[in-house]
């Protein structure tokens, strides 16, 4: 049975998602509006009316003992269209206000006051609230009654009667109005949704197309943001990534060229001297040994280059871990400088060591020794005609600072940031000096592995100082 070809899952575009989300939001808003305005309007009105009437009753009870209570009662009754009846403890009228022209349930020949009084006296809390249909005005009315008393005795009774306005017709009008508004605003919402989704997605789509060109190796691609911050930040980030990729691509090409040259030169010499041994010096022990020595030296050079490349790869992928120990850095520096005496005497270089007091540091001794040797080798490569190299130990409160200084031409300011890059090689590199060209890259990898600070200070015409700071 043949395997079916993998089908890429088709996803909804950002523009469609934004548009659908906005439309859904609009629908939800109007659904909630319909629910609250139509379904809950009537119950909300009744609840609000009862609460407002209760507040009026409380205000009348609080003002009951005031001298101008009758005037206040009339004012409240007229302002709120509420019938008010106040009885004494013997149920005799004390104050009354009728704003319904003898159609209030509390007054007139067909008053409900007796029935209300009976319900009030039978209520344990001394408070009643009723919805009663008033045939005189043809609509429901709210009746609220309460007992006027203190902690010991009853002083009287308070009744309030207010019409409840019918909300059925209002709900019908609101429904028609909401229907019109809903249709109109849904159309507006759809238009806004399409516009907003385009406004948000167009910069992303444009940046995506540019990213596709970058993925195919076009390092001149322009990333243009949009009219909002996130798109601009994305464009700037991708522009920076493009610059770094272009830089890495250029440095990789330089590495291939440099490594190819470094490999080709010893391989050429190996072949040449092997042919000389075969054709010329095979029977001459002196010449044969000299030629074999050249082959050995070039083989060592090849081995060192391959080892540096492999080690650098291990440092960067994290497979090589430091074996931490505590050592006296002054003693270790003195031993390293002592081993360089042979190079100094043979090649005419002078390495000056300025030690400080003995200091214990924690590090991988072998790797830190490699760092120091690489820095000294680099200084030898680039020092001036005086062939002077200076190594210095400086004890500081935060640790030990190791400096290696040369007296060469220095480094241009715009190249200082690249000097530790693994693909970077100075144009002034001296081919006659032994080295693989990866020394500073290995220094950077080892110091980052130890989390030690490092850097270089340089001025044109004054040489360079490479340094790193070891914690105690």
């Amino acid at each position: 049975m043949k395997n079916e070809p993998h089908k890429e899952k088709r996803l909804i575009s950002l523009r469609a998602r934004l548009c659908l989300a906005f439309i859904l939001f609009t629908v939800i808003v109007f659904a909630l509006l319909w629910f609250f305005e139509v379904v809950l309007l009537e119950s909300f009105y009744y609840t609000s009316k009862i609460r407002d009437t209760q507040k009026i009753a409380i205000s009348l009870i609080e003002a009951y003992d005031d001298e101008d209570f009758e005037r206040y009662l009339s004012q409240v009754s007229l302002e709120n269209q509420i019938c008010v009846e106040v009885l004494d403890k013997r149920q005799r009228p004390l104050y009354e206000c009728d704003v319904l022209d003898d159609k209030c349930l509390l007054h007139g020949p067909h008053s409900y006051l007796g029935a209300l009084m009976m319900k009030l006296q039978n209520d344990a809390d001394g408070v009643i609230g009723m919805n009663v249909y008033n045939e005189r005005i043809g609509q429901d009315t709210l009746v609220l009654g309460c007992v006027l008393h203190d902690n010991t005795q009853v002083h009287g009774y308070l009744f309030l009667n207010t019409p409840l306005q019918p909300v059925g017709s209002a709900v019908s009008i609101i429904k028609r109005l909401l229907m019109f508004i809903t249709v109109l605003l849904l159309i507006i919402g759809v238009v806004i949704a399409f516009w907003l989704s385009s406004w948000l997605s167009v910069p992303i789509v444009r940046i995506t197309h540019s990213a596709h060109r970058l993925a195919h190796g076009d390092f001149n691609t322009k990333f243009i943001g949009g009219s909002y911050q996130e798109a601009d930040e994305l464009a700037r980030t991708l522009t920076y990534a493009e610059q770094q990729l272009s830089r890495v691509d250029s440095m990789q090409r330089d590495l291939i060229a440099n490594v190819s040259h470094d490999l080709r030169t010893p391989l050429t010499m190996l072949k040449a001297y092997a042919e000389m041994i075969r054709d010329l010096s095979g029977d001459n022990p002196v010449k044969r040994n000299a030629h074999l020595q050249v082959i050995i030296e070039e083989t060592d050079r090849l081995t060192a280059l391959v080892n540096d490349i492999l080690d650098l790869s291990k440092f960067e992928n994290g497979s090589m871990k430091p074996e931490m120990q505590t050592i006296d850095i002054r003693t270790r520096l003195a031993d390293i400088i002592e081993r360089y005496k042979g190079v100094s005497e043979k090649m005419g270089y002078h390495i000056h060591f300025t030690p400080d007091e003995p200091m214990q540091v924690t590090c991988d001794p072998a790797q830190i020794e490699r760092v120091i040797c690489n820095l000294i080798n680099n200084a030898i490569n680039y020092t001036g005609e005086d062939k002077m190299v200076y190594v210095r130990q400086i004890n500081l409160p935060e640790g030990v600072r190791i400096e290696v200084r040369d007296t060469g031409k220095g480094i241009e300011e715009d190249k200082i940031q690249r000097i530790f890059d693994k693909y970077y090689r100075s144009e002034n590199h001296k081919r006659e000096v032994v080295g693989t060209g990866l020394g500073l890259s290995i220094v950077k990898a080892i110091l980052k592995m130890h989390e030690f600070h490092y850097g270089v200070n340089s001025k044109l015409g004054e040489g360079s100082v490479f340094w790193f700071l070891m914690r105690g």
Side-chain angles (χ1 to χ4, degrees):
M1 180 178 179
K2 294 184 179 179
N3 293 328
E4 294 184 0
H6 174 71
K7 294 182 179 180
E8 183 179 356
K9 185 179 180 181
R10 187 172 181 84
L11 301 177
I12 302 176
S13 67
L14 175 63
R15 180 182 300 180
R17 285 180 179 271
L18 290 172
C19 186
L20 290 175
F22 192 82
I23 293 175
L24 179 62
F25 171 76
T26 305
V27 171
I28 292 174
V29 168
F30 279 105
L32 291 174
L33 183 62
W34 271 78
F35 178 74
F36 286 108
E37 289 290 339
V38 177
V39 178
L40 299 182
L41 179 61
E42 187 171 357
S43 62
F44 179 78
Y45 168 75
Y46 288 139
T47 302
S48 299
K49 191 69 174 180
I50 293 173
R51 184 171 58 250
D52 294 341
T53 306
Q54 288 175 339
K55 290 181 180 179
I56 294 172
I58 293 173
S59 68
L60 291 174
I61 293 173
E62 292 176 348
Y64 180 70
D65 293 328
D66 295 348
E67 295 180 357
D68 58 347
F69 173 73
E70 187 173 1
R71 183 181 63 81
Y72 178 71
L73 184 147
S74 299
Q75 179 183 351
V76 170
S77 176
L78 291 173
E79 289 179 353
N80 296 278
Q81 289 297 296
I82 295 179
C83 296
V84 182
E85 182 82 13
V86 181
L87 308 179
D88 62 12
K89 61 183 178 179
R90 296 182 180 179
Q91 304 179 19
R92 294 176 298 185
L94 292 177
Y95 305 100
E96 64 179 31
C97 288
D98 186 357
V99 295
L100 298 179
D101 298 329
D102 294 330
K103 296 179 180 179
C104 178
L105 292 177
L106 305 176
H107 309 98
H110 303 289
S111 172
Y112 279 75
L113 194 58
L116 296 172
M117 178 65 70
M118 186 177 299
K119 288 181 177 294
L120 181 62
Q121 291 176 340
N122 293 331
D123 188 87
D125 297 327
V127 178
I128 62 169
M130 300 172 57
N131 184 357
V132 181
Y133 182 75
N134 190 337
E135 295 180 353
R136 303 174 195 173
I137 60 176
Q139 65 186 70
D140 290 336
T141 59
L142 172 67
V143 176
L144 184 70
C146 57
V147 178
L148 303 176
H149 61 81
D150 54 23
N151 295 330
T152 58
Q153 59 182 349
V154 175
H155 295 289
Y157 305 91
L158 172 66
F159 293 93
L160 293 88
N161 181 207
T162 181
L164 294 173
Q165 300 298 330
V167 296
S169 58
V171 169
S172 178
I173 295 173
I174 290 174
K175 284 181 179 179
R176 291 195 296 271
L177 180 62
L178 279 179
M179 180 66 71
F180 173 75
I181 294 176
T182 300
V183 173
L184 177 62
L185 291 186
L186 275 177
I187 295 173
I188 296 175
V190 170
V191 173
I192 293 176
F194 277 104
W195 173 80
L196 181 62
S197 60
S198 297
W199 178 70
L200 291 173
S201 63
V202 165
I204 305 299
V205 173
R206 184 171 56 240
I207 291 173
T208 301
H209 291 328
S210 298
H212 280 303
R213 292 196 297 272
L214 174 61
H216 287 85
D218 182 3
F219 296 114
N220 293 320
T221 302
K222 301 296 183 183
F223 290 94
I224 301 174
S227 54
Y228 53 96
Q229 181 181 357
E230 289 77 7
D232 282 341
E233 290 182 353
L234 178 59
R236 285 194 296 269
T237 301
L238 289 174
T239 298
Y240 176 76
E242 178 187 45
Q243 294 170 353
Q244 296 303 309
L245 288 173
S246 177
R247 175 185 171 192
V248 169
D249 182 72
S250 176
M251 290 188 296
Q252 283 178 333
R253 288 195 297 269
D254 292 342
L255 173 71
I256 293 173
N258 290 330
V259 172
S260 298
H261 186 283
D262 287 342
L263 290 172
R264 185 171 59 247
T265 300
L267 287 173
T268 300
M269 295 185 68
L270 286 173
K271 181 180 179 181
Y273 277 91
E275 290 176 347
M276 290 173 64
I277 293 173
R278 181 193 65 188
D279 300 334
L280 300 176
S281 61
D283 297 329
N284 188 329
V286 177
K287 290 183 178 181
R288 183 176 65 246
N289 291 336
H291 294 165
L292 288 173
Q293 183 62 35
V294 173
I295 292 175
I296 292 172
E297 291 175 356
E298 292 302 318
T299 302
D300 290 341
R301 181 177 171 183
L302 277 176
T303 302
L305 176 60
V306 172
N307 287 339
D308 278 356
I309 294 174
L310 292 175
D311 289 346
L312 184 58
S313 176
K314 291 178 181 178
F315 287 131
E316 292 184 339
N317 64 28
S319 61
M320 185 175 292
K321 303 296 183 182
E323 298 178 2
M324 308 300 283
Q325 300 179 24
T326 300
I327 62 170
D328 179 6
I329 189 60
R330 172 177 171 173
T331 302
R332 185 57 63 98
L333 281 170
D335 292 341
I336 294 172
I337 301 303
E338 182 67 23
R339 294 202 300 269
Y340 270 89
K341 282 187 176 180
V343 176
S344 300
E345 294 174 356
K346 181 180 178 180
M347 305 179 65
Y349 290 92
H350 303 279
I351 303 175
H352 296 270
F353 174 45
T354 304
D356 205 330
E357 295 296 324
M359 178 65 72
Q360 299 291 316
V361 295
T362 302
C363 63
D364 184 325
Q367 300 301 341
I368 291 301
E369 181 175 324
R370 190 172 186 181
V371 167
I372 297 169
C373 290
N374 283 355
L375 291 179
I376 293 175
N377 292 339
N378 182 75
I380 291 174
N381 286 356
Y382 292 98
T383 195
E385 295 299 328
D386 58 2
K387 294 188 175 183
M388 304 294 287
V389 174
Y390 298 89
V391 180
R392 187 179 180 190
Q393 171 197 350
I394 306 173
N395 294 344
L396 301 173
E398 60 271 22
V400 180
R401 180 182 172 106
I402 307 299
E403 294 182 351
V404 179
R405 180 169 67 89
D406 62 61
T407 60
K409 296 180 180 179
I411 307 170
E412 293 87 343
E413 185 175 353
D414 60 334
K415 294 181 180 179
I416 288 180
Q417 298 299 325
R418 300 182 57 192
I419 200 67
F420 286 100
D421 289 345
K422 61 183 177 181
Y423 303 133
Y424 181 78
R425 172 172 283 180
S426 172
E427 296 176 357
N428 297 323
H429 181 70
K430 299 181 179 180
R431 304 295 306 177
E432 69 273 8
V433 177
V434 176
T436 65
L438 297 175
L440 292 182
S441 302
I442 293 175
V443 166
K444 174 183 176 181
I446 293 174
L447 294 178
K448 287 183 69 175
M449 181 176 64
H450 281 77
E451 297 183 354
F452 290 165
H453 294 294
Y454 63 93
V456 56
N457 304 322
S458 183
K459 290 184 179 180
L460 291 178
E462 297 183 11
S464 304
V465 178
F466 288 82
W467 60 269
F468 64 96
L469 184 65
M470 308 176 66
R471 292 187 297 271

Short mmCIF file of all heavy atoms in Angstrom, two decimals, residues 394-424:
data_model
loop_
_atom_site.label_atom_id
_atom_site.label_comp_id
_atom_site.label_asym_id
_atom_site.label_seq_id
_atom_site.Cartn_x
_atom_site.Cartn_y
_atom_site.Cartn_z
N ILE A 394 46.75 41.45 37.80
CA ILE A 394 46.26 42.55 38.65
C ILE A 394 45.19 41.99 39.58
O ILE A 394 44.13 41.55 39.12
CB ILE A 394 45.67 43.69 37.80
CG1 ILE A 394 46.68 44.18 36.76
CG2 ILE A 394 45.22 44.84 38.71
CD1 ILE A 394 46.11 45.19 35.80
N ASN A 395 45.45 41.99 40.87
CA ASN A 395 44.48 41.52 41.86
C ASN A 395 43.49 42.65 42.18
O ASN A 395 43.90 43.76 42.55
CB ASN A 395 45.17 41.07 43.14
CG ASN A 395 46.04 39.84 42.92
OD1 ASN A 395 45.90 39.14 41.92
ND2 ASN A 395 46.93 39.56 43.85
N LEU A 396 42.22 42.38 42.00
CA LEU A 396 41.17 43.35 42.25
C LEU A 396 40.18 42.79 43.27
O LEU A 396 40.15 41.57 43.50
CB LEU A 396 40.43 43.67 40.94
CG LEU A 396 41.28 44.25 39.80
CD1 LEU A 396 40.45 44.34 38.52
CD2 LEU A 396 41.84 45.61 40.17
N PRO A 397 39.36 43.64 43.89
CA PRO A 397 38.38 43.12 44.86
C PRO A 397 37.43 42.10 44.25
O PRO A 397 36.99 41.16 44.92
CB PRO A 397 37.63 44.39 45.29
CG PRO A 397 38.59 45.51 45.05
CD PRO A 397 39.39 45.11 43.84
N GLU A 398 37.08 42.28 42.98
CA GLU A 398 36.13 41.36 42.35
C GLU A 398 36.78 40.15 41.72
O GLU A 398 36.09 39.27 41.18
CB GLU A 398 35.30 42.10 41.29
CG GLU A 398 36.11 42.70 40.16
CD GLU A 398 36.57 44.13 40.46
OE1 GLU A 398 36.65 44.49 41.65
OE2 GLU A 398 36.85 44.85 39.49
N GLY A 399 38.12 40.05 41.73
CA GLY A 399 38.80 38.90 41.14
C GLY A 399 40.19 39.26 40.65
O GLY A 399 40.80 40.23 41.10
N VAL A 400 40.71 38.45 39.73
CA VAL A 400 42.06 38.65 39.19
C VAL A 400 41.92 39.01 37.71
O VAL A 400 41.30 38.27 36.93
CB VAL A 400 42.93 37.39 39.35
CG1 VAL A 400 44.32 37.64 38.77
CG2 VAL A 400 43.01 37.01 40.82
N ARG A 401 42.52 40.13 37.33
CA ARG A 401 42.49 40.57 35.93
C ARG A 401 43.82 40.19 35.28
O ARG A 401 44.89 40.56 35.78
CB ARG A 401 42.27 42.07 35.86
CG ARG A 401 42.23 42.64 34.43
CD ARG A 401 42.06 44.15 34.50
NE ARG A 401 42.19 44.79 33.20
CZ ARG A 401 41.20 45.29 32.49
NH1 ARG A 401 39.96 45.18 32.95
NH2 ARG A 401 41.42 45.88 31.33
N ILE A 402 43.74 39.45 34.17
CA ILE A 402 44.92 39.05 33.41
C ILE A 402 44.94 39.88 32.13
O ILE A 402 43.96 39.91 31.39
CB ILE A 402 44.89 37.55 33.08
CG1 ILE A 402 44.68 36.71 34.35
CG2 ILE A 402 46.17 37.15 32.36
CD1 ILE A 402 45.76 36.88 35.38
N GLU A 403 46.08 40.54 31.88
CA GLU A 403 46.23 41.37 30.69
C GLU A 403 47.41 40.88 29.86
O GLU A 403 48.46 40.51 30.40
CB GLU A 403 46.46 42.84 31.05
CG GLU A 403 45.28 43.51 31.74
CD GLU A 403 45.56 44.98 32.03
OE1 GLU A 403 46.73 45.41 31.85
OE2 GLU A 403 44.61 45.70 32.44
N VAL A 404 47.21 40.87 28.52
CA VAL A 404 48.29 40.56 27.59
C VAL A 404 48.36 41.71 26.59
O VAL A 404 47.39 41.94 25.85
CB VAL A 404 48.06 39.22 26.87
CG1 VAL A 404 49.20 38.96 25.89
CG2 VAL A 404 47.96 38.07 27.87
N ARG A 405 49.47 42.42 26.56
CA ARG A 405 49.59 43.62 25.72
C ARG A 405 50.67 43.45 24.66
O ARG A 405 51.74 42.87 24.94
CB ARG A 405 49.92 44.84 26.59
CG ARG A 405 50.07 46.14 25.82
CD ARG A 405 50.13 47.33 26.76
NE ARG A 405 51.34 47.32 27.57
CZ ARG A 405 52.49 47.91 27.19
NH1 ARG A 405 52.60 48.51 26.01
NH2 ARG A 405 53.54 47.87 28.00
N ASP A 406 50.37 43.92 23.47
CA ASP A 406 51.38 43.95 22.41
C ASP A 406 51.65 45.40 22.04
O ASP A 406 50.96 46.32 22.49
CB ASP A 406 50.91 43.16 21.18
CG ASP A 406 49.65 43.74 20.55
OD1 ASP A 406 49.69 44.90 20.11
OD2 ASP A 406 48.61 43.04 20.51
N THR A 407 52.64 45.62 21.20
CA THR A 407 53.03 46.98 20.80
C THR A 407 52.82 47.18 19.30
O THR A 407 53.53 47.95 18.68
CB THR A 407 54.51 47.22 21.15
OG1 THR A 407 55.32 46.26 20.45
CG2 THR A 407 54.75 47.10 22.63
N GLY A 408 51.81 46.47 18.76
CA GLY A 408 51.58 46.52 17.33
C GLY A 408 50.83 47.76 16.88
O GLY A 408 50.78 48.79 17.57
N LYS A 409 50.19 47.66 15.72
CA LYS A 409 49.52 48.81 15.11
C LYS A 409 48.16 49.10 15.74
O LYS A 409 47.57 50.14 15.46
CB LYS A 409 49.33 48.54 13.62
CG LYS A 409 50.65 48.43 12.86
CD LYS A 409 50.41 48.17 11.39
CE LYS A 409 51.73 48.07 10.62
NZ LYS A 409 51.51 47.80 9.17
N GLY A 410 47.65 48.21 16.55
CA GLY A 410 46.34 48.42 17.15
C GLY A 410 45.21 47.95 16.24
O GLY A 410 45.44 47.49 15.12
N ILE A 411 44.01 48.11 16.72
CA ILE A 411 42.83 47.64 16.00
C ILE A 411 41.88 48.82 15.79
O ILE A 411 41.64 49.61 16.71
CB ILE A 411 42.09 46.54 16.79
CG1 ILE A 411 43.06 45.42 17.18
CG2 ILE A 411 40.91 45.97 16.01
CD1 ILE A 411 42.48 44.43 18.17
N GLU A 412 41.33 48.94 14.58
CA GLU A 412 40.36 49.98 14.31
C GLU A 412 39.13 49.78 15.19
O GLU A 412 38.73 48.67 15.51
CB GLU A 412 39.93 49.96 12.84
CG GLU A 412 41.02 50.33 11.86
CD GLU A 412 41.86 49.11 11.45
OE1 GLU A 412 41.80 48.09 12.18
OE2 GLU A 412 42.57 49.20 10.44
N GLU A 413 38.53 50.92 15.58
CA GLU A 413 37.41 50.86 16.53
C GLU A 413 36.25 50.04 15.99
O GLU A 413 35.59 49.32 16.74
CB GLU A 413 36.94 52.29 16.84
CG GLU A 413 35.86 52.35 17.91
CD GLU A 413 35.50 53.77 18.29
OE1 GLU A 413 36.20 54.69 17.81
OE2 GLU A 413 34.54 53.96 19.03
N ASP A 414 35.99 50.12 14.68
CA ASP A 414 34.86 49.40 14.12
C ASP A 414 35.11 47.90 14.00
O ASP A 414 34.19 47.13 13.70
CB ASP A 414 34.49 49.97 12.75
CG ASP A 414 35.66 49.87 11.76
OD1 ASP A 414 36.82 49.85 12.21
OD2 ASP A 414 35.41 49.81 10.55
N LYS A 415 36.37 47.47 14.22
CA LYS A 415 36.69 46.05 14.12
C LYS A 415 36.89 45.39 15.48
O LYS A 415 37.02 44.17 15.55
CB LYS A 415 37.95 45.87 13.28
CG LYS A 415 37.77 46.28 11.82
CD LYS A 415 39.04 46.06 11.03
CE LYS A 415 38.85 46.48 9.57
NZ LYS A 415 40.09 46.30 8.77
N ILE A 416 36.91 46.20 16.53
CA ILE A 416 37.13 45.64 17.87
C ILE A 416 36.03 44.65 18.24
O ILE A 416 36.28 43.60 18.84
CB ILE A 416 37.24 46.77 18.91
CG1 ILE A 416 38.57 47.52 18.74
CG2 ILE A 416 37.14 46.21 20.33
CD1 ILE A 416 38.77 48.64 19.72
N GLN A 417 34.77 45.00 17.87
CA GLN A 417 33.66 44.13 18.23
C GLN A 417 33.71 42.78 17.50
O GLN A 417 33.09 41.81 17.93
CB GLN A 417 32.32 44.83 17.88
CG GLN A 417 32.10 46.13 18.65
CD GLN A 417 32.05 45.92 20.15
OE1 GLN A 417 31.56 44.90 20.63
NE2 GLN A 417 32.56 46.88 20.91
N ARG A 418 34.47 42.70 16.40
CA ARG A 418 34.51 41.47 15.61
C ARG A 418 35.75 40.63 15.87
O ARG A 418 35.86 39.53 15.34
CB ARG A 418 34.47 41.83 14.12
CG ARG A 418 33.25 42.60 13.68
CD ARG A 418 33.29 42.86 12.19
NE ARG A 418 33.39 41.62 11.44
CZ ARG A 418 33.67 41.55 10.15
NH1 ARG A 418 33.91 42.65 9.46
NH2 ARG A 418 33.73 40.37 9.53
N ILE A 419 36.66 41.15 16.69
CA ILE A 419 37.98 40.52 16.80
C ILE A 419 37.90 39.11 17.37
O ILE A 419 38.74 38.25 17.09
CB ILE A 419 38.93 41.40 17.63
CG1 ILE A 419 40.38 41.04 17.35
CG2 ILE A 419 38.60 41.31 19.10
CD1 ILE A 419 40.84 41.37 15.95
N PHE A 420 36.84 38.84 18.20
CA PHE A 420 36.69 37.51 18.80
C PHE A 420 35.82 36.58 17.97
O PHE A 420 35.61 35.43 18.35
CB PHE A 420 36.09 37.63 20.20
CG PHE A 420 37.06 38.14 21.24
CD1 PHE A 420 37.04 39.47 21.63
CD2 PHE A 420 37.99 37.30 21.81
CE1 PHE A 420 37.93 39.95 22.58
CE2 PHE A 420 38.88 37.77 22.77
CZ PHE A 420 38.85 39.10 23.15
N ASP A 421 35.28 37.07 16.85
CA ASP A 421 34.40 36.23 16.04
C ASP A 421 35.19 35.08 15.43
O ASP A 421 36.31 35.25 14.96
CB ASP A 421 33.74 37.04 14.93
CG ASP A 421 32.69 37.99 15.47
OD1 ASP A 421 32.29 37.81 16.64
OD2 ASP A 421 32.28 38.91 14.74
N LYS A 422 34.56 33.91 15.39
CA LYS A 422 35.27 32.73 14.93
C LYS A 422 35.56 32.77 13.43
O LYS A 422 36.41 32.04 12.95
CB LYS A 422 34.48 31.47 15.27
CG LYS A 422 33.10 31.40 14.64
CD LYS A 422 32.37 30.16 15.09
CE LYS A 422 30.96 30.11 14.52
NZ LYS A 422 30.23 28.91 14.96
N TYR A 423 34.82 33.57 12.69
CA TYR A 423 35.04 33.63 11.25
C TYR A 423 35.89 34.84 10.83
O TYR A 423 36.14 35.04 9.66
CB TYR A 423 33.69 33.72 10.51
CG TYR A 423 32.77 32.59 10.81
CD1 TYR A 423 31.44 32.82 11.13
CD2 TYR A 423 33.22 31.27 10.80
CE1 TYR A 423 30.58 31.77 11.41
CE2 TYR A 423 32.38 30.22 11.08
CZ TYR A 423 31.06 30.47 11.39
OH TYR A 423 30.22 29.44 11.67
N TYR A 424 36.26 35.66 11.82
CA TYR A 424 36.96 36.89 11.48
C TYR A 424 38.47 36.69 11.55
O TYR A 424 38.99 36.06 12.46
CB TYR A 424 36.56 38.01 12.44
CG TYR A 424 37.24 39.32 12.13
CD1 TYR A 424 36.80 40.12 11.08
CD2 TYR A 424 38.32 39.75 12.89
CE1 TYR A 424 37.42 41.32 10.79
CE2 TYR A 424 38.95 40.96 12.61
CZ TYR A 424 38.49 41.72 11.57
OH TYR A 424 39.11 42.92 11.28
#
